[in-house]
C-alpha cells in the first residue's frame, strides 16, 4: 500500500504554533513520564505478587504429587500383603476369585482410580490384566514397554526392605504413576509362601486430563494439565520425575487484581489530562484528523479487499474439499488447485468437460437432477468418479445456483467414510470371531422367512447346536485354542449347508442353522448325522489332537411355531432333551417336551424348598468284608420325601440339582448329616459319601470337607469319598490338586462306577486312590457269562496289583456273592446283603453283629 502524506493545516502563525506545540508537548511529556513511572511501579508490584503466588502453587502441587505417590504405594501394599491375593494370583491364578468376586475387579478402577492392574509371574508373564475395570488378555509390555522388566526387578529388590517401588512413566503420551510390589502372604498363617521368585503386582494410575483437573481443583489450582510441546510462555510448569512429562496450570494472579483496582484511577487521571490536551489541540488537529480518517478509510478498504482475496485463496487450497463452478451447460469453468491433490486428475484437462463425463450418481444424470423443480437451492448429492489411478472414489457434492446462471459448490471425498460405515454395518450383523451371522442377523433372516411362509407342510427348519466337551479345551489349552476350534467349527457347519441356508453363532459355543424350503424328516436326520460327524472329526490345535461333539435341537415352522421367538425357544427345548439323552445326538421338538421342562422346573423349585425345610432323608447301604462277612461300613444315600409325589429316589432329583446349581447345598446337607450320624456308629465302621464332579470345579471342596469333619467330630480316617472317573477327564490338574488336599486331611478316596465310563490305567497310577468300586452292571453280567466274569476278575487283579481295595456294588444273588468270593473281591454291598437302612436300623444291625460276634466267642 502506498504511503500518503499530510500537508500542514492553515491557522495561527508558524511561531505561535511552534511555541504552543512546544509548551504543550513539554507539559504532556512531564505528565506522561510521571504516569509511566507510577504505572511501571504498579506493574512491578503486581508481577512480584504473581511470582509469589506461582511459587506457592508449585510447592502445593509438588506436595500433592508426593501424597498421590504415597497413597498409591500404601494402597498397593495393602493388596500385595494380602494372603488371599498371594494364594489366588501367585500360587495359582483364579480369575473367579480375582475378577468375578471383585477382589481385584472393577472397584480398583471405579473407586481407587487405577487404570491398569497387572500381575507378573516369576517367569515374566502377565497372568492377570485389568484395564479400565475390564478383564483383558494382554501383556503388560503393551502398556509399560521396555520399562516393565526394570520395574519388576526393582520391586523385588526393594521388597526386602518392606518398601514398594514407584516411578512416573509416559504411557501413550499420558504421564502415569506406576507402583509395584511383590505379592506376599503377609501375616496370614493359613497361606504358605513358596521358595521361588515372587509375582509382582503393578498398579498404574494415569494422570489424564480429568484427574489432573480434579487434582488441581483440590488445591485451588486452575486448569492443571499436561504441557504440550511448544506450550505457551508465561504459564508455570512442573516437570514430573523420570521425564514422564511436564505439568502446567493457570496460576492465581493477585497482582492483576491490584492493577484492576488502582489502574482505573490512574487511567481516569490520565484521561482528564488527555481531554484537556485534546481540547487545546482540537482546532489545530481538526483538518489533519479529517485527512487521517480519509486516508485510514482508504487503507482499511484496500487491506480488507486484499485480506479477503488471500483468505479465500488459503481456505480453498488448504481445505480437503475442492471447489468447482460450471456454466449453464454444466461444463466446468473453474476448479481449485485442491482438485488435482484430491482426485489425481489434471485440472487443465478437466476444465471444459461436462459434469456427467466426470461424475455419476445412482439416480438420473446430474443435468436431470439439477433441473428438478423441487430441488433445494443448496442441495447435496453423493457421486462417484474414477481418480487418476482409475480407482473408484466417492464424493459428496454440495450445489448452489449462481444468479448469472450455472452452479458452483464444493466436493468432499467420503470414500473412507462410506467404507467405514459399510464395515460397521457388516460387523453389526456378523460375529467378529467366526465371520458367521450373529443373533441380530439371524433374527432378521428368520423373521423375513417366517413372514413369507407359503402354504407348505414344512417350509422352514431350525437347528439349535451346542458343542459338547468344549469347556475342557478352553481350560486346558487356553482361550486362543478355543477360539481356533470355534472358527473351524463354523467352517465345517458352513460346508454342510446350501447357499440359501443360514448359519449363525448366537453364544459362546452355541450355533443356529436356519434351513428354508421343504425338507423331509429323513433329510433332516441325514443333515444332523453329517453335522455331528464333521464336528466329531479331530481338531489339530497347537500340536494337540482335540475331540468335541455336538447336540442338536430341531424345531419346524409352521408345524411347531410361526413366531421367531417361539421357534428359537422350542429348538432350545429340543436341544435340552438331546443333551439329557446322552449328548452327540439330535431331537425333534414335541409338545410333551415343554410339559417335561415345566415339570422339571417345578421339581427344581421344590428342591430348593426341600433343602431349606428338611424334607431330605438319609439311608445307609451296609457294606461287608467278603472274607468273613463282617460289617465294615455303609454308604450314605439321600432320599426326598416330597409332599405330593412321595418318596423320590436320587436318580430323579440329583440330575436336576447338577443342572440348576443346587448340587453344592444338597451335597453339603448330605455330608453334614451323614458325618453327624456316623459319629454315633462303632469306631471301626467307615462312612462312604458320593461326590459330584461339579464339586471339584467350584465350592472349595477341601475346606467344605474339613468343616464337616470339624463340626461333626468324625475322624477323617473313617470318611470315604467316592468319585467318578468322568471328573478326572474334565480337569485332571484341578482334580489332582483337590484330591491331594483331601488326602492331606486323612480321608479315603474311592473311584466309583469303575469299568463303565472313561476309566484309564493312568488315573489309577496318577491319583491318590485307596480303592475302586465295580459298577453293579458288571456284577450283574458275571453269572453265566464267562466274558463278564473275566472282566471283573481282571479289574480285581489290576486293583490288587496297584494295592487298591476293591468293592463290588449291586450284589443281588447268592451266585454273584460266590463268584466275587472266588475271585478274591475285598468288600461287597447290595440288596442280597441287606436293604438301605436309616440311622436307627443301622445301629440295630451293628448291635446284632456285635452280639453275634460275642456269642461265637
Amino acid at each position: 500500500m502506498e504511503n500518503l502524506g499530510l500537508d500542514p493545516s492553515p491557522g495561527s502563525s508558524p511561531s505561535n504554533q511552534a511555541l504552543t506545540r512546544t509548551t504543550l508537548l513539554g507539559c504532556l511529556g512531564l505528565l506522561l513520564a510521571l504516569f509511566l513511572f507510577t504505572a511501571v511501579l504498579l506493574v512491578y508490584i503486581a508481577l512480584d505478587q504473581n511470582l509469589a503466588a506461582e511459587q506457592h502453587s508449585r510447592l502445593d502441587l509438588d506436595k500433592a504429587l508426593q501424597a498421590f505417590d504415597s497413597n498409591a504405594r500404601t494402597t498397593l501394599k495393602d493388596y500385595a500383603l494380602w494372603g488371599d491375593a498371594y494364594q489366588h494370583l501367585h500360587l495359582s491364578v483364579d480369575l473367579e476369585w480375582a475378577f468375578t468376586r471383585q477382589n481385584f475387579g472393577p472397584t480398583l478402577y471405579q473407586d481407587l482410580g487405577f487404570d491398569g492392574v497387572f500381575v507378573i509371574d516369576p517367569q515374566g508373564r502377565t497372568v492377570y490384566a485389568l484395564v479400565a475395570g475390564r478383564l483383558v488378555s494382554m501383556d503388560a509390555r503393551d502398556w509399560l514397554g521396555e520399562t516393565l522388566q526394570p520395574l519388576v526387578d526393582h520391586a523385588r529388590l526393594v521388597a526386602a526392605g518392606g518398601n514398594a517401588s514407584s516411578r512416573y512413566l509416559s504411557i501413550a503420551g499420558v504421564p502415569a504413576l506406576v507402583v509395584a510390589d511383590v505379592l506376599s502372604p503377609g501375616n496370614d498363617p493359613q497361606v504358605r509362601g513358596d521358595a521361588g521368585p515372587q509375582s509382582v503386582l503393578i498398579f498404574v494410575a494415569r494422570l489424564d486430563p480429568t484427574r489432573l483437573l480434579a487434582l488441581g481443583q483440590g488445591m485451588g489450582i486452575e486448569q492443571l494439565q499436561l504441557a504440550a510441546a511448544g506450550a505457551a510462555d508465561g504459564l508455570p510448569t512442573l516437570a514430573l520425575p523420570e521425564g514422564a512429562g511436564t505439568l502446567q496450570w493457570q496460576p492465581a494472579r493477585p497482582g492483576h487484581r491490584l492493577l484492576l483496582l488502582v489502574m482505573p484511577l490512574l487511567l481516569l487521571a490520565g484521561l482528564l489530562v488527555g481531554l484537556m490536551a485534546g481540547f487545546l489541540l482540537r482546532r489545530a488537529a481538526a483538518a489533519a484528523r479529517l485527512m487521517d480518517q480519509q486516508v485510514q478509510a482508504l487503507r482499511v478498504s484496500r487491506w480488507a479487499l486484499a485480506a479477503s482475496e488471500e483468505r479465500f485463496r488459503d481456505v480453498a487450497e488448504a481445505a480437503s474439499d475442492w471447489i468447482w463452478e460450471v456454466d449453464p451447460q454444466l461444463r466446468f469453468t473453474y476448479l481449485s488447485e485442491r482438485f488435482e491433490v484430491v482426485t489425481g486428475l489434471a485440472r487443465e484437462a478437466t476444465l471444459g468437460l461436462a459434469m456427467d463425463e466426470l461424475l455419476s450418481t445412482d439416480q438420473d444424470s446430474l443435468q436431470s437432477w439439477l433441473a428438478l423443480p423441487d430441488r433445494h437451492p443448496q442441495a447435496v448429492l453423493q457421486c462417484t468418479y474414477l481418480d487418476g489411478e482409475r480407482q473408484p472414489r466417492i464424493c459428496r457434492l454440495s450445489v448452489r445456483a449462481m444468479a448469472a446462471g450455472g452452479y458452483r459448490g464444493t466436493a468432499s471425498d467420503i470414500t473412507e467414510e462410506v467404507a467405514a460405515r459399510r464395515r460397521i454395518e457388516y460387523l453389526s450383523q456378523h460375529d467378529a470371531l467366526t465371520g458367521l451371522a450373529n443373533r441380530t442377523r439371524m433374527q432378521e433372516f428368520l423373521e423375513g422367512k417366517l413372514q413369507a411362509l407359503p402354504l407348505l407342510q414344512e417350509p422352514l427348519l431350525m437347528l439349535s447346536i451346542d458343542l459338547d466337551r468344549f469347556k475342557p479345551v478352553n481350560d486346558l489349552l487356553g482361550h486362543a485354542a478355543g477360539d481356533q476350534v470355534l472358527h473351524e467349527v463354523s467352517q465345517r457347519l458352513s460346508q454342510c449347508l446350501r447357499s440359501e441356508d443360514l448359519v449363525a453363532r448366537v453364544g459362546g459355543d452355541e450355533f443356529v442353522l436356519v434351513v428354508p424350503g421343504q425338507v423331509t424328516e429323513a433329510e433332516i436326520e441325514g443333515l444332523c448325522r453329517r453335522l455331528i460327524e464333521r464336528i466329531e472329526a479331530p481338531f489339530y490345535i497347537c500340536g494337540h489332537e482335540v475331540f468335541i461333539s455336538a447336540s442338536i435341537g430341531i424345531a419346524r415352522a409352521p408345524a411347531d411355531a410361526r413366531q421367531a421367538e417361539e421357534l428359537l425357544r422350542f429348538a432350545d427345548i429340543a436341544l435340552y432333551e438331546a443333551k439329557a439323552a446322552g449328548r452327540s445326538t439330535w431331537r425333534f421338538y414335541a409338545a410333551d417336551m415343554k410339559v417335561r421342562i415345566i415339570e422339571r422346573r417345578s421339581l427344581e423349585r421344590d428342591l430348593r424348598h426341600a433343602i431349606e425345610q428338611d424334607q431330605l432323608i438319609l439311608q445307609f447301604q451296609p457294606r461287608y468284608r467278603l472274607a468273613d462277612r463282617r460289617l465294615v461300613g455303609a454308604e450314605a444315600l439321600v432320599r426326598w420325601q416330597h409332599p405330593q409325589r412321595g418318596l423320590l429316589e436320587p436318580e430323579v432329583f440329583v440330575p436336576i440339582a447338577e443342572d440348576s446349581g443346587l448340587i453344592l447345598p444338597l451335597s453339603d446337607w448330605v455330608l453334614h448329616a451323614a458325618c453327624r450320624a456316623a459319629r454315633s456308629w462303632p469306631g471301626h465302621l467307615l462312612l462312604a459319601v458320593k461326590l459330584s464332579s461339579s464339586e471339584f470345579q467350584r465350592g472349595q471342596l477341601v475346606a467344605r470337607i474339613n468343616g464337616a469333619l470339624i463340626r461333626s467330630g468324625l475322624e477323617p480316617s473313617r470318611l470315604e469319598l467316592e468319585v467318578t472317573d468322568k471328573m478326572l477327564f474334565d480337569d485332571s490338574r484341578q482334580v489332582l490338586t483337590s484330591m491331594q488336599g483331601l488326602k492331606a486331611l486323612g480321608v479315603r478316596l474311592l473311584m466309583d462306577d469303575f469299568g463303565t465310563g472313561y476309566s484309564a490305567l493312568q488315573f489309577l497310577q496318577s491319583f491318590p486312590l485307596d480303592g475302586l468300586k465295580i459298577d453293579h452292571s458288571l456284577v450283574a453280567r458275571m453269572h453265566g457269562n464267562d466274558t463278564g466274569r473275566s472282566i471283573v476278575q481282571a479289574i480285581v487283579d489290576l486293583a490288587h496289583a496297584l494295592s487298591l481295595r476293591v468293592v463290588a456294588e449291586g450284589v443281588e444273588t447268592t451266585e454273584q456273592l460266590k463268584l466275587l468270593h472266588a475271585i478274591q473281591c475285598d468288600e461287597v454291598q447290595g440288596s442280597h446283603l441287606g436293604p438301605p437302612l436309616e440311622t436307627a436300623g443301622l445301629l440295630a444291625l451293628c448291635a446284632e453283629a456285635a452280639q453275634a460276634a460275642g456269642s461265637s466267642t
Side-chain angles (χ1 to χ4, degrees):
M1 296 182 182
E2 71 179 313
N3 189 13
L4 300 177
L6 296 176
D7 295 329
S9 300
S12 59
S13 63
S15 57
N16 292 335
Q17 185 176 2
L19 179 60
T20 301
R21 185 182 298 114
T22 303
T23 302
L24 290 174
L25 290 176
C27 294
L28 289 175
L30 182 60
L31 291 174
L32 180 61
L34 180 60
F35 179 83
L36 289 177
F37 175 78
T38 305
V40 169
L41 181 61
L42 286 174
V43 170
Y44 174 79
I45 296 173
L47 292 177
D48 184 70
Q49 291 184 350
N50 289 344
L51 181 60
E54 178 182 322
Q55 293 175 347
H56 185 269
S57 61
R58 182 178 286 105
L59 290 175
D60 288 346
L61 180 58
D62 185 65
K63 292 180 180 178
L65 291 175
Q66 292 177 8
F68 180 66
D69 183 301
S70 176
N71 290 337
R73 283 187 284 125
T74 301
T75 304
L76 172 71
K77 201 69 179 178
D78 292 340
Y79 279 84
L81 291 177
W82 191 7
D84 287 350
Y86 182 86
Q87 181 178 2
H88 295 287
L89 289 176
H90 172 66
L91 298 181
S92 63
V93 179
D94 187 349
L95 298 182
E96 179 187 1
W97 178 91
F99 185 79
T100 305
R101 299 184 185 178
Q102 297 197 12
N103 290 303
F104 273 73
T107 55
L108 287 174
Y109 171 69
Q110 298 167 354
D111 299 337
L112 300 181
F114 291 108
D115 302 274
V117 177
F118 305 96
V119 177
I120 312 301
D121 68 2
Q123 288 74 37
R125 298 171 302 187
T126 303
V127 297
Y128 182 81
L130 193 71
V131 175
R134 294 193 299 267
L135 184 64
V136 297
S137 177
M138 66 177 293
D139 195 329
R141 289 183 176 84
D142 295 343
W143 265 38
L144 304 178
E146 298 301 321
T147 62
L148 175 62
Q149 191 57 45
L151 181 65
V152 171
D153 295 340
H154 186 258
R156 292 193 175 117
L157 180 63
V158 301
N163 297 320
S165 173
S166 68
R167 65 177 58 184
Y168 282 90
L169 299 176
S170 178
I171 300 177
V174 177
L177 175 64
V178 182
V179 292
D181 199 357
V182 297
L183 285 173
S184 170
N187 297 324
D188 193 341
Q190 297 183 357
V191 180
R192 294 184 178 178
D194 57 4
Q198 295 170 300
S199 297
V200 176
L201 175 62
I202 298 176
F203 284 177
V204 180
R206 299 192 303 173
L207 297 177
D208 54 17
T210 303
R211 176 167 283 166
L212 287 176
L213 285 176
L215 183 64
Q217 290 173 357
M219 298 180 295
I221 298 177
E222 298 294 329
Q223 300 181 18
L224 179 63
Q225 60 186 351
L226 182 66
D233 294 335
L235 292 179
T237 61
L238 178 65
L240 293 173
E242 288 87 26
T246 303
L247 302 181
Q248 69 178 23
W249 63 93
Q250 188 69 37
R253 303 291 187 184
H256 286 28
R257 291 193 294 271
L258 176 64
L259 292 178
L260 290 175
L261 180 64
V262 178
M263 273 298 183
L265 300 177
L266 191 62
L267 290 175
L268 180 59
L271 179 61
L272 293 175
V273 174
L275 288 175
M276 294 175 61
F279 176 79
L280 296 174
L281 293 176
R282 182 182 59 176
R283 289 188 177 183
R289 188 182 300 111
L290 178 61
M291 183 178 294
D292 288 343
Q293 290 175 352
Q294 293 174 346
V295 171
Q296 185 65 20
L298 178 60
R299 289 176 177 174
V300 169
S301 170
R302 293 174 61 186
W303 177 85
L305 178 60
S308 176
E309 292 178 352
E310 184 179 2
R311 185 183 303 113
F312 174 79
R313 182 170 59 255
D314 292 343
V315 170
E317 302 309 326
S320 60
D321 302 348
W322 45 278
I323 302 172
W324 56 270
E325 287 184 3
V326 294
D327 58 18
Q329 289 74 39
L330 302 185
R331 295 185 179 277
F332 287 108
T333 58
Y334 171 77
L335 292 169
S336 65
E337 295 181 4
R338 191 67 181 172
F339 171 79
E340 293 186 352
V341 177
V342 175
T343 66
L345 300 171
R347 185 172 58 161
E348 296 299 331
T350 308
L351 289 174
L353 290 178
M355 292 186 74
D356 287 327
E357 295 182 43
L358 176 66
L359 305 172
S360 60
T361 69
D362 296 335
Q363 306 174 11
D364 296 334
S365 64
L366 282 169
Q367 186 171 7
S368 303
W369 182 76
L370 290 171
L372 292 175
D374 58 346
R375 183 183 58 78
H376 192 274
Q378 299 182 11
V380 175
L381 181 66
Q382 185 169 303
C383 302
T384 59
Y385 66 93
L386 296 178
D387 63 11
E389 298 180 356
R390 310 304 295 171
Q391 297 296 319
R393 307 287 294 180
I394 304 173
C395 68
R396 184 186 295 113
L397 208 66
S398 63
V399 182
R400 185 184 182 95
M402 294 189 296
Y407 302 89
R408 67 162 59 101
T410 61
S412 306
D413 190 284
I414 58 172
T415 306
E416 302 300 331
E417 177 185 335
V418 172
R421 187 166 58 247
R422 290 173 180 170
R423 177 63 178 167
I424 292 173
E425 291 175 356
Y426 175 84
L427 291 176
S428 68
Q429 301 254 321
H430 293 78
D431 177 55
L433 174 63
T434 62
L436 298 177
N438 59 13
R439 184 180 290 274
T440 301
R441 170 64 185 141
M442 183 271 296
Q443 194 87 8
E444 293 176 356
F445 179 84
L446 182 59
E447 290 176 351
K449 293 295 182 181
L450 291 175
Q451 289 174 1
L453 280 180
L455 297 177
L456 295 177
Q457 199 61 21
E458 299 291 344
L460 187 140
L461 178 71
M462 169 169 283
L463 288 80
S464 182
I465 303 176
D466 188 79
L467 301 183
D468 301 326
R469 301 195 303 274
F470 176 72
K471 183 179 181 298
V473 177
N474 273 338
D475 294 341
L476 299 178
L477 301 181
H479 288 283
D483 290 346
Q484 190 173 346
V485 170
L486 290 174
H487 187 270
E488 190 166 339
V489 167
S490 68
Q491 294 179 334
R492 296 184 183 184
L493 293 177
S494 300
Q495 293 167 0
C496 294
L497 299 179
R498 305 166 301 179
S499 58
E500 62 268 26
D501 302 334
L502 177 77
V503 55
R505 181 183 177 217
V506 297
D509 58 350
E510 300 175 16
F511 298 85
V512 167
L513 276 60
V514 181
V515 182
Q518 184 73 24
V519 184
T520 65
E521 185 164 332
E523 290 173 333
I524 297 173
E525 293 189 348
L527 174 60
C528 293
R529 189 175 296 106
R530 289 196 307 274
L531 291 171
I532 292 178
E533 288 175 354
R534 291 301 305 275
I535 294 175
E536 287 182 342
F539 296 83
Y540 297 96
I541 308 296
C542 303
H544 298 273
E545 191 175 41
V546 176
F547 293 91
I548 63 174
S549 184
S551 300
I552 304 175
I554 307 165
R556 293 169 285 195
D560 297 328
R562 285 183 173 269
Q563 300 296 323
E565 291 297 332
E566 286 190 353
L567 201 62
L568 283 166
R569 185 159 52 89
F570 290 165
D572 285 339
I573 291 175
L575 173 63
Y576 184 85
E577 291 289 327
K579 285 185 170 293
R583 306 176 188 268
S584 299
T585 186
W586 62 88
R587 287 292 183 268
F588 290 88
Y589 171 75
D592 60 338
M593 290 182 180
K594 187 175 181 180
V595 175
R596 288 198 297 271
I597 291 293
I598 295 175
E599 181 179 359
R600 184 181 180 90
R601 289 177 179 172
S602 175
L603 273 177
E604 176 185 336
R605 184 178 59 254
D606 292 346
L607 182 57
R608 293 181 186 274
H609 296 305
I611 298 174
E612 297 171 358
Q613 299 174 3
D614 203 20
Q615 296 177 3
L616 302 176
I617 299 173
L618 268 187
Q619 293 182 345
F620 300 93
Q621 177 69 55
R623 182 190 299 174
Y624 294 89
R625 188 164 56 206
L626 193 54
D628 54 7
R629 302 289 181 89
R630 182 185 178 188
L631 182 66
V632 295
E635 179 183 352
L637 304 175
V638 62
R639 304 289 188 267
W640 179 9
Q641 186 64 49
H642 195 280
Q644 288 81 34
R645 303 171 187 263
L647 190 65
L648 300 180
E649 297 294 324
E651 293 78 7
V652 176
F653 59 89
V654 168
I656 297 176
E658 289 275 7
D659 295 338
S660 62
L662 293 174
I663 191 63
L664 289 183
L666 176 62
S667 177
D668 276 340
W669 186 92
V670 172
L671 185 63
H672 285 79
C675 288
R676 286 196 303 269
R679 184 71 178 84
S680 62
W681 300 352
H684 68 280
L685 292 186
L686 297 177
L687 168 66
V689 179
K690 288 184 181 293
L691 291 181
S692 167
S693 59
S694 59
E695 296 186 69
F696 280 86
Q697 300 168 4
R698 60 185 189 275
Q700 298 180 339
L701 179 60
V702 177
R704 290 174 48 235
I705 300 296
N706 188 41
L709 291 172
I710 292 174
R711 289 186 181 182
S712 64
L714 184 68
E715 296 178 3
S717 59
R718 294 181 58 194
L719 178 61
E720 187 172 73
L721 301 176
E722 298 181 2
V723 301
T724 62
D725 53 0
K726 178 182 179 300
M727 70 180 65
L728 307 181
F729 279 86
D730 290 339
D731 190 347
S732 58
R733 290 178 296 179
Q734 180 178 348
V735 172
L736 177 59
T737 301
S738 298
M739 292 177 72
Q740 290 172 342
L742 293 173
K743 290 297 293 182
L745 294 179
V747 302
R748 305 187 184 191
L749 297 175
L750 199 70
M751 182 181 288
D752 192 18
D753 298 335
F754 188 83
T756 61
Y758 307 92
S759 304
L761 180 60
Q762 62 178 10
F763 292 138
L764 299 180
Q765 296 175 316
S766 305
F767 288 86
L769 297 169
D770 296 288
L772 54 85
K773 202 171 186 180
I774 302 175
D775 187 71
H776 64 87
S777 61
L778 297 179
V779 175
R781 290 197 293 267
M782 288 178 58
H783 184 62
N785 187 335
D786 293 340
T787 301
R789 183 182 184 281
S790 298
I791 291 174
V792 176
Q793 176 74 64
I795 293 174
V796 172
D797 292 342
L798 173 63
H800 288 167
L802 296 173
S803 300
L804 298 178
R805 185 163 43 91
V806 183
V807 180
E809 64 177 348
V811 179
E812 300 177 352
T813 64
T814 304
E815 289 77 9
Q816 294 173 355
L817 192 64
K818 291 179 179 179
L819 290 173
L820 290 170
H821 188 277
I823 62 177
Q824 297 181 348
C825 182
D826 298 310
E827 298 174 5
V828 290
Q829 67 182 57
S831 59
H832 178 71
L833 300 165
L837 304 171
E838 295 188 6
T839 302
L842 185 64
L843 290 175
L845 181 64
C846 293
E848 292 176 4
Q851 184 177 1
S855 61
S856 64
T857 58

